Amino acid sequence: MQIDMQARPFEITPAMEARVARHLRAIESRFGERIGQVLVRMDDINGERGGVDKRCRIVIEAIPRQTVVAEALSADMYASISQAARRAETALSRTLQRRRTRSPRRLLMNPDQVDAEDARSASL
């Protein structure tokens, strides 16, 4: 798992980096090799004005060809990191579960065939 962390308009502190790493290790322990690259972006939207303006966005490139984006906004950057990580883990779980439950036949059909099959099953 490759991790790219960036922050604006501030520097990432060792404590922030540790918080992100702890959450991403937990996600990696659950999903392992199905995770490719992870992008973490932390922003202070209002700058010095304060308020609920600390945003953390986590983008996970899952294998094969799935992207999960989770974002959280809070008055505290550490809370934003934790909340975004929980949302990313939930979204990744749903995405990978959805991929496992699709029938192999549906994956081979073109979109017009899928729509026709859905219409047939709905009319039954």
Side-chain angles (χ1 to χ4, degrees):
M1 172 173 70
Q2 295 176 323
I3 302 170
D4 178 20
M5 263 190 270
Q6 294 182 1
R8 288 182 295 178
F10 57 90
E11 295 291 322
I12 299 173
T13 66
M16 284 180 200
E17 194 170 331
R19 172 79 56 110
V20 169
R22 180 171 53 98
H23 285 294
L24 292 180
R25 275 195 309 272
I27 293 172
E28 183 180 32
S29 71
R30 181 172 175 195
F31 299 105
E33 296 296 318
R34 292 175 282 183
I35 299 174
Q37 185 171 0
V38 178
L39 307 168
V40 180
R41 302 286 184 262
M42 294 173 267
D43 298 302
D44 186 354
I45 298 168
N46 290 337
E48 297 294 320
R49 290 181 278 173
V52 179
D53 66 336
K54 310 306 188 277
R55 177 176 53 201
C56 179
R57 175 180 285 184
I58 299 175
V59 180
I60 299 175
E61 299 291 332
I63 298 170
R65 298 177 299 182
Q66 296 287 322
T67 301
V68 172
V69 180
E71 184 174 287
L73 195 63
S74 178
D76 177 60
M77 183 56 74
Y78 297 100
S80 291
I81 292 168
S82 295
Q83 189 175 30
R86 282 191 302 273
R87 289 177 179 174
E89 184 173 9
T90 301
L92 184 59
S93 176
R94 268 193 239 126
T95 298
L96 294 174
Q97 182 65 35
R98 214 176 305 130
R99 187 162 185 83
R100 268 184 257 134
T101 57
R102 281 192 181 154
S103 72
R105 184 167 177 257
R106 281 181 70 96
L107 294 175
L108 296 175
M109 291 184 212
N110 69 41
D112 295 332
Q113 289 174 315
V114 171
D115 292 339
E117 184 175 288
D118 288 344
R120 274 196 306 274
S121 63
S123 67
L124 296 178

